[in-house]
Amino acid sequence: MPCQWFSLLGLILSCGAAISSSSSSGDVFTSSFLVRFQRSVENNFAHEVARRYGFDNLGPLPGSSFKEYHFKHRSLPHARTRRSISHTRVLKRHPLIHTAIQQPGFIRVKRGLRPAIPSIHGLPYSSTNGVQGTSGAEPTDPYFPLQWYLKNTGQNGGKMRLDLNVQAAWDQGITGKNVTTAIMDDGVDYMHPDLKYNYNAEASYDFSSNDPYPYPRYTDDWFNSHGTRCAGEVAAARDNGICGVGVAYDSKVAGIRMLDQPYMTDLIEANSMGHEPHKIHIYSASWGPTDDGKTVDGPRNATMRAIVQGVNEGRNGLGNIYVWASGDGGEEDDCNCDGYAASMWTISINSAINDGQNAHYDESCSSTLASTFSNGAKDPNTGVATTDLYGKCTTTHSGTSAAAPEAAGVFALALEANPQLTWRDVQHLTVLTSKRNSLFDAKNRFHWTMNGVGLEFNHLFGFGVLDAGAMVTLAKQWRTVPARYHCEAGSILEPHQIMSGRSLFLEIKTNACKGTDTEVNYLEHVQAVITANASRRGDLELFLTSPMGTRSMILSRRANDDDHRDGFTKWPFMTTHTWGEYPHGTWKLEARFNSQQPRTGWLKEWSLVLHGTKEPPYRALSPASPHSKLAIVKKAHEDRKMNKDS
Ligand SMILES: *[C@@H]1O[C@H](CO)[C@@H](O)[C@H](O)[C@H]1NC(C)=O
Ligand SMILES: *[C@@H]1O[C@H](CO)[C@@H](O)[C@H](O)[C@H]1NC(C)=O
Ligand SMILES: *[C@@H]1O[C@H](CO)[C@@H](O)[C@H](O)[C@H]1NC(C)=O
Ligand SMILES: [Ca+2]
Ligand SMILES: [Ca+2]
């Protein structure tokens, strides 16, 4: 069941993208097995059982209360096209083993272009400039002038002051101290002189090789430079004469190596996202399902459980922050078809280039919360400058891959400013302090629009570009938002046909669970969980309109998606655009085909799920300026309450 509701201490345990991935010809099975015991057992006991049958026990799964373990067979090949029935059977014969499931392998790709070869771009650092800087001054690191995303002076055709405004955070003495960001990727060069003092070895692990040393595997083309480049953006050291600086240059990075094996499994992802959730504050991911514009895929069961456990229990109950690159599929893809990016529990980040346009590879979707910066301008010197493998530096880190770690760095600053922020506080702060600045759609398709409480959003950029200075300032005076509730607001279960040439409109009228203990009056995320099929899935478009009139495109045309069989099965399309709105009233869903060809399809199910607070979220805050987004939303909330009470 894809969207299943368990209630535990009032927390939602699981409602995510359940994967109804088609079992097409390319199926492979790995040597990993999920072994579920009848009851909790100790790790040592699981070790013994594993050894007896020729397996290694790689440990318990996050969130499984020591009932589920990851076993890896010692002699099976990493991937084969047939299940190994005999190995499953032998495990199941053990009286304490409830089930054993051989893990299918699937594809996850790094975002970003293939790395440039080192002879051109693995630049040695210049150490002519190793003077110690004083606080308040600019970093003296040799690559700092190239880091336009930190300080845009208009270099290389950029737009002045279109940057993350980090200096304003640093000037407040906030540099990321005591915060750890895990880079879930192809490894981190933790011996790099610009990273080694900020490396958190205790929180690091290598799930590709199952050892504590997530060092990148060497290849001639530097394929595994991705994680090291991401790590430098977060936490490269300041004023040491090496490369540039990280957004949070006094924070720590952990390496979680998990992308470097022939196939991904649910268990590798789950272990990575559930690794040391009390030592790691932020997890940064710049990878996901293939961006080919026809994949619909997301976290599987164990991974979903690990994320849910992370947000509910990680950081000693405050919740881990999962930052996600929204995807590099360009116009061809829609990040709402990527169940990681579309999740409420991840903050998905898009990118803009140095003059404010979207990058050509940017995907758009209604689940994107905000943006940072990446490459894509004509001038090749406008890539993202950061650390590179083997002690080198690069100026060409790219894609939304490079955008997500910048956001992780900004969140590390916010967490130093206020270590009590919950995972939801960080999302609220993002909505309230991101800026439109001069971001625009290069093709003029998506405009900035005001939602029902006066928050400006854009289908490409979410609520705008992160502003570290503003986020840190607001984080310092922040008061944790009230409890979150989940209201199943209504559903339509009879199938309706969708035909070419005219839109299908469906409506759900809701009181947003008024009078029950899941009443939602102030929205955070909204999900439209939809089952539909179509003679060509890629031509289907879906729009969700809130009672306050905000229209989210929850699915856009995907030209490459020629599926005519699977459609969507209980897929949780998500929008952030109605943030802060009052959800009572009529929600409209529009389904239509965007195609010259005759198409047909069925909308079989639509369930509307509202997430947010019963109480106004910003009551305890006093806005510094009457023009701030906080002031505007707070006023909208107060006006609504007054109208209701009078
Ligand atoms: C995933 O979980 C659902 C609901 O708990 C279950 O029905 C389904 O069989 C699980 N899938 C796998 C592959 O274990
Ligand atoms: C960092 O954390 C340690 C222990 O948790 C604490 O003693 C120390 O004061 C903290 N430092 C800062 C700058 O917050
Ligand atoms: C969609 O599903 C309906 C009913 O389940 C079926 O009759 C129809 O043929 C399907 N359409 C497509 C395009 O697969
Ligand atoms: Ca440096
Ligand atoms: Ca994608």
Side-chain angles (χ1 to χ4, degrees):
M1 240 194 15
C3 189
Q4 196 167 26
W5 304 91
F6 306 86
S7 212
L8 178 76
L9 307 168
L11 298 170
I12 202 80
L13 274 189
S14 155
C15 179
I19 299 317
S20 54
S21 182
S22 52
S23 52
S24 53
S25 49
D27 284 2
V28 295
F29 293 91
T30 66
S31 55
S32 283
F33 290 68
L34 185 161
V35 175
R36 188 176 296 129
F37 286 88
Q38 306 279 8
R39 55 170 172 81
S40 300
V41 300
E42 282 182 20
N43 202 24
N44 279 343
F45 178 82
H47 270 329
E48 247 172 65
V49 174
R51 208 170 311 131
R52 192 177 319 157
Y53 300 114
F55 289 81
D56 287 317
N57 168 32
L58 302 183
L61 290 181
S64 76
S65 319
F66 292 88
K67 275 189 179 159
E68 292 178 13
Y69 283 80
H70 183 183
F71 281 17
K72 199 170 170 68
H73 197 269
R74 288 180 185 166
S75 56
L76 269 175
H78 185 82
R80 44 188 263 158
T81 52
R82 290 173 53 194
R83 284 183 194 278
S84 309
I85 311 279
S86 58
H87 293 96
T88 311
R89 197 179 294 146
V90 110
L91 286 170
K92 279 195 193 158
R93 238 181 338 233
H94 190 283
L96 270 184
I97 291 179
H98 180 263
T99 43
I101 305 165
Q102 189 176 8
Q103 293 295 293
F106 45 86
I107 303 292
R108 290 291 178 260
V109 294
K110 305 173 201 181
R111 307 296 183 215
L113 314 172
R114 281 186 79 90
I117 54 170
S119 57
I120 302 172
H121 286 299
L123 305 169
Y125 61 85
S126 117
S127 47
T128 52
N129 207 352
V131 223
Q132 291 295 306
T134 50
S135 147
E138 247 171 43
T140 56
D141 308 70
Y143 279 62
F144 181 70
L146 295 167
Q147 293 183 290
W148 58 268
Y149 58 97
L150 299 181
K151 178 160 186 169
N152 200 335
T153 56
Q155 65 269 56
N156 304 103
K159 188 158 170 45
M160 227 160 104
R161 281 193 290 276
L162 178 63
D163 55 39
L164 296 171
N165 193 26
V166 287
Q167 187 71 52
W170 297 344
D171 286 348
Q172 300 179 54
I174 300 295
T175 52
K177 292 178 284 298
N178 267 5
V179 181
T180 293
T181 300
I183 307 294
M184 299 190 287
D185 212 292
D186 56 16
V188 169
D189 178 1
Y190 48 79
M191 290 177 325
H192 194 295
D194 214 12
L195 294 173
K196 65 181 176 187
Y197 298 110
N198 285 341
Y199 178 64
N200 186 341
E202 218 190 21
S204 297
Y205 202 76
D206 184 341
F207 289 103
S208 292
S209 306
N210 301 301
D211 62 59
Y213 312 105
Y215 200 78
R217 179 178 56 92
Y218 178 82
T219 69
D220 285 341
D221 63 358
W222 285 32
F223 182 65
N224 294 318
S225 57
H226 197 252
T228 300
R229 294 173 175 198
C230 291
E233 294 180 80
V234 178
R238 176 174 170 155
D239 291 339
N240 59 354
I242 303 168
C243 299
V245 285
V247 169
Y249 53 75
D250 286 326
S251 71
K252 300 256 184 277
V253 281
I256 294 186
R257 179 166 173 261
M258 45 81 74
L259 286 181
D260 195 17
Q261 65 281 321
Y263 288 95
M264 182 57 84
T265 64
D266 190 20
L267 303 186
I268 293 177
E269 286 186 359
N271 281 319
S272 301
M273 289 183 215
H275 186 62
E276 296 290 2
H278 307 300
K279 290 182 184 155
I280 292 168
H281 303 83
I282 302 163
Y283 297 77
S284 181
S286 293
W287 50 269
T290 316
D291 285 327
D292 55 7
K294 53 185 176 184
T295 300
V296 177
D297 201 355
R300 314 293 216 254
N301 284 5
T303 301
M304 188 60 84
R305 198 174 56 195
I307 301 177
V308 169
Q309 164 142 320
V311 299
N312 285 336
E313 296 166 32
R315 287 176 61 228
N316 300 310
L318 297 170
N320 295 120
I321 318 298
Y322 293 95
V323 184
W324 225 271
S326 61
D328 288 352
E331 275 175 60
E332 253 100 83
D333 209 353
D334 182 299
C335 32
N336 241 350
C337 294
D338 167 343
Y340 302 83
S343 167
M344 310 182 281
W345 298 305
T346 64
I347 299 182
S348 105
I349 296 291
N350 206 355
S351 60
I353 69 172
N354 68 337
D355 64 357
Q357 297 180 51
N358 63 299
H360 60 87
Y361 50 77
D362 278 342
E363 292 181 31
S364 59
C365 65
S366 55
S367 51
T368 296
L369 198 64
S371 301
T372 57
F373 297 102
S374 192
N375 74 311
K378 286 212 183 69
D379 187 332
N381 293 316
T382 56
V384 171
T386 175
T387 50
D388 209 348
L389 286 177
Y390 316 125
K392 299 224 167 41
C393 321
T394 180
T395 57
T396 60
H397 192 29
S398 62
T400 55
S401 266
E406 290 169 27
V410 173
F411 299 147
L413 297 175
L415 289 183
E416 186 202 334
N418 182 348
Q420 294 308 311
L421 297 175
T422 66
W423 69 276
R424 287 168 56 226
D425 292 333
V426 172
Q427 296 208 17
H428 279 273
L429 281 165
T430 301
V431 170
L432 293 177
T433 60
S434 294
K435 300 280 185 314
R436 172 177 177 166
N437 203 318
S438 45
L439 301 191
F440 67 101
D441 175 8
K443 296 206 166 154
N444 204 26
R445 298 152 300 170
F446 304 119
H447 301 121
W448 287 92
T449 311
M450 205 75 97
N451 82 3
V453 289
L455 291 170
E456 243 181 340
F457 67 91
N458 183 298
H459 187 67
L460 270 164
F461 305 112
F463 290 96
V465 67
L466 296 184
D467 180 324
M471 189 176 288
V472 160
T473 303
L474 191 53
K476 283 180 170 168
Q477 67 149 126
W478 191 256
R479 309 291 285 275
T480 292
V481 290
R484 172 169 159 111
Y485 297 104
H486 314 279
C487 167
E488 295 185 62
S491 50
I492 289 182
L493 300 170
E494 321 77 67
H496 290 80
Q497 194 167 12
I498 316 165
M499 285 177 292
S500 280
R502 77 176 136 123
S503 291
L504 167 72
F505 288 98
L506 298 176
E507 290 187 357
I508 289 177
K509 199 167 156 42
T510 180
N511 66 0
C513 301
K514 194 173 183 51
T516 75
D517 48 13
T518 61
E519 179 172 335
V520 173
N521 293 319
Y522 303 91
L523 284 175
E524 293 173 357
H525 313 86
V526 173
Q527 291 177 305
V529 184
I530 285 173
T531 302
N533 68 0
S535 53
R536 195 171 195 286
R537 184 172 65 185
D539 288 339
L540 185 61
E541 292 183 334
L542 297 170
F543 300 87
L544 181 69
T545 305
S546 72
M548 294 185 98
T550 301
R551 188 166 187 251
S552 305
M553 182 173 358
I554 58 173
L555 174 66
S556 58
R557 179 164 184 269
R558 297 198 304 164
N560 297 337
D561 182 1
D562 57 4
D563 166 79
H564 53 88
R565 196 189 53 184
D566 298 333
F568 295 97
T569 308
K570 291 184 189 287
W571 189 259
F573 293 96
M574 194 269 273
T575 181
T576 58
H577 297 167
T578 51
W579 200 275
E581 287 191 1
Y582 180 61
H584 297 218
T586 302
W587 290 79
K588 294 195 192 73
L589 180 70
E590 177 183 358
R592 70 180 189 203
F593 285 111
N594 178 347
S595 169
Q596 302 305 317
Q597 307 297 317
R599 304 289 181 215
T600 172
W602 288 86
L603 204 128
K604 302 181 189 185
E605 183 177 343
W606 166 34
S607 299
L608 180 68
V609 193
L610 310 170
H611 307 267
T613 58
K614 180 176 176 189
E615 302 302 329
Y618 313 130
R619 212 156 38 179
L621 297 169
S622 6
S625 143
H627 307 295
S628 66
K629 285 166 122 182
L630 171 60
I632 292 165
V633 184
K634 211 170 128 80
K635 174 137 196 334
H637 288 172
E638 277 158 13
D639 290 351
R640 190 197 79 73
K641 225 170 158 21
M642 249 159 40
N643 292 341
K644 199 186 65 179
D645 294 345
S646 61

